[in-house]
Amino acid sequence: MKLVRFDTREALFAHATERFVRIGAEAIRERGRFLVALSGGETPRPLYERLAASAELDWAAVDVFWADERCVPPTDPRSNYGTVREALLDRVAIPEDRIHRIAGELDPLAAADAYEVELRRVVGADSRLDLILLGIGADGHTASLFPRHQALSETGRWIVPVHASADPPWRVTMTLPLINAARHVLFLATGAEKAAAVRDLVDGKPLPASMVRPTDGTVTFLVDEEAASLLEEY
Ligand code: 6PG
């Protein structure tokens, strides 16, 4: 696990944008398309806005997925799809059939089943996403994999429904077998409310986010000064 600290959020998001575009361009060059899973929440919004303003990625060759979704309609302000749609997808030339959203408005099990079918159809035999963008919660959850939840033990399915103490409680999430097969995983953590989780992660505590360890890929944490404030200097 590689952790990179930034003095300012500005510097963090500039780096994240550059890294995202670099990984995307490499995937398109080598395999003809870029398979990326995005996250919701507030943290990545500046990245999405920067990506929308950057002309450097060939969006016609990008397939966008979501690491997780809250079970709400796409128009609900809590929808992860809605956040990305508004901050990024409405502003770039991506074909509609390359936007693969989780149907948050459906019954969670039905939505999970349908998304697993869609993912397997698009990703194919390779079974690997090029990049998964993740956040971390104050309790160490990532995607919608919450501490002590049975979804953390999933070994076969790529997508499962989850009920947790969160708003909204029903979620649909990628599981560790799919996340850990990725070529690259990128975590973003900003703000003092993430400091304890980032410290626990670095200390090796058994958080869901610590279980993200790609078997043949990279995992990188980008943290700002506030999120890094409880770390020893190193
Ligand atoms: C979600 C997520 C979740 C998120 C973290 C951080 O749908 O809630 O994907 O894992 O990334 O909770 O959220 P913030 O970026 O809003 O702090």
Side-chain angles (χ1 to χ4, degrees), residues 27 30-31 33-35 119-131 158 177-178 180-183 215-216:
E30 291 180 4
R31 290 174 297 281
R33 58 184 186 159
F34 176 33
L35 303 174
L119 259 166
R120 289 190 187 268
R121 180 185 71 77
V122 178
V123 175
D126 180 41
S127 300
R128 302 184 77 184
L129 295 174
D130 296 307
L131 173 64
W158 285 0
L178 178 61
N180 283 335
R183 289 188 169 81
T215 42
D216 185 25

Side-chain angles (χ1 to χ4, degrees), residues 38-45 66-70 78-80 133-146 166-168 171-173 187-190 193-194:
L38 303 177
S39 278
E42 275 310 304
T43 309
R45 190 183 287 270
W66 275 260
D68 70 323
E69 184 56 278
R70 293 101 178 254
R78 293 168 296 177
S79 164
N80 287 344
L133 184 72
L134 294 173
I136 183 169
D139 60 355
H141 80 260
T142 191
S144 283
L145 297 168
F146 290 86
D167 172 37
R171 310 285 182 107
V172 171
T173 188
F187 279 91
L188 305 181
T190 59
E193 66 278 14
K194 303 295 168 70

Side-chain angles (χ1 to χ4, degrees), residues 4-19 43-44 46-47 50 186-191 221-225 227:
V4 191
R5 310 166 62 139
F6 295 87
D7 290 342
T8 63
R9 285 190 196 187
E10 183 76 9
L12 184 153
F13 286 109
H15 179 94
T17 306
E18 187 269 328
R19 188 180 280 257
T43 309
L47 167 62
R50 279 173 178 265
L186 183 62
F187 279 91
L188 305 181
T190 59
F221 275 79
L222 306 186
V223 297
D224 71 350
E225 267 316 301

Side-chain angles (χ1 to χ4, degrees), residues 82-96:
T83 299
V84 178
R85 179 102 221 174
E86 185 249 314
L88 174 62
L89 301 176
D90 278 346
R91 309 188 201 182
V92 293
I94 181 167
E96 282 299 315

Side-chain angles (χ1 to χ4, degrees), residues 24 41 44 51 54 67 74 101 131 140 144 170 174 181 201 205:
L51 286 170
S54 148
R101 79 173 177 91
L131 173 64
S144 283
W170 277 106
M174 289 187 174
L201 186 89
K205 298 250 171 73

Side-chain angles (χ1 to χ4, degrees), residues 133-163:
L133 184 72
L134 294 173
I136 183 169
D139 60 355
H141 80 260
T142 191
S144 283
L145 297 168
F146 290 86
R148 294 174 297 282
H149 198 285
Q150 63 184 27
L152 289 167
S153 315
E154 181 61 40
T155 55
R157 297 197 49 168
W158 285 0
I159 306 291
V160 294
V162 159
H163 188 271

